Amino acid sequence: MKKMFLFLIIASSFSCAKKISQENAKTTPKEPQKETVVGSDADAHGCKASAGYTWSTLKKECIRIFEGTKLTHAEESGKTYTTAAYVIFDGNKAELFLDTQKESIILERKSEGDSWVKGDLQLIPWKGYVLKKAGKIIYTGE
């Protein structure tokens, strides 16, 4: 008997809530709902990060950096990294997308076979690539 009484109370409360909801719908004018568009996160250059695109200063277009050359953090004792950096090439220039920098960095080399350099950064083509900062290896990749 107690279970039946409890069931009736619960059922009637749902019924009342539905009725109030329907009355509010009749008296309250509906506002148009804003539609969320997937991929509407374009940056200042029109690149959509949700689709994997990033602006390349070097190429002057939106690119997917993960299609470039991946550079991983050089191993330091006891440290584990879950991020990586990427580099793309165009002629004698290389564009670095470091996970520690917001903006990309353009490196240049003088001729074929030389390292790409900017300030204290040096990208060396050796067994893949080695990126040094102030003489210390910080990334490696193939």
Side-chain angles (χ1 to χ4, degrees), residues 115-134:
S115 299
W116 293 265
V117 179
K118 179 173 184 177
D120 63 349
L121 288 172
Q122 181 182 21
L123 182 64
I124 304 163
W126 182 73
K127 292 186 180 181
Y129 296 97
V130 174
L131 180 63
K132 289 184 174 183
K133 181 173 182 152

Side-chain angles (χ1 to χ4, degrees), residues 4 8-9 22 27-28 44 47 55 77 79 91 107 110-111 113 124 133 135 137:
M4 182 66 152
L8 289 173
I9 289 173
Q22 288 172 347
T27 59
T28 308
C47 304
W55 178 254
S77 60
K79 288 192 177 180
L107 307 173
K110 294 182 180 171
S111 62
I124 304 163
K133 181 173 182 152
I137 297 172

Side-chain angles (χ1 to χ4, degrees), residues 13-34:
S13 67
F14 282 119
S15 175
C16 290
K18 184 177 178 185
K19 187 173 184 179
I20 291 169
S21 168
Q22 288 172 347
E23 288 174 7
N24 286 342
K26 291 177 189 174
T27 59
T28 308
K30 286 190 175 183
E31 290 184 25
Q33 291 183 349
K34 292 182 180 178

Side-chain angles (χ1 to χ4, degrees), residues 96-122:
L96 285 174
F97 296 89
L98 301 179
D99 53 345
T100 57
Q101 298 282 323
K102 188 171 180 119
E103 299 288 324
S104 65
I105 302 166
I106 306 292
L107 307 173
E108 293 187 53
R109 67 179 179 177
K110 294 182 180 171
S111 62
E112 186 83 24
D114 286 346
S115 299
W116 293 265
V117 179
K118 179 173 184 177
D120 63 349
L121 288 172
Q122 181 182 21

Side-chain angles (χ1 to χ4, degrees), residues 72-88:
T72 55
H73 287 270
E75 291 184 30
E76 292 183 32
S77 60
K79 288 192 177 180
T80 307
Y81 296 94
T82 57
T83 57
Y86 293 88
V87 62
I88 61 164

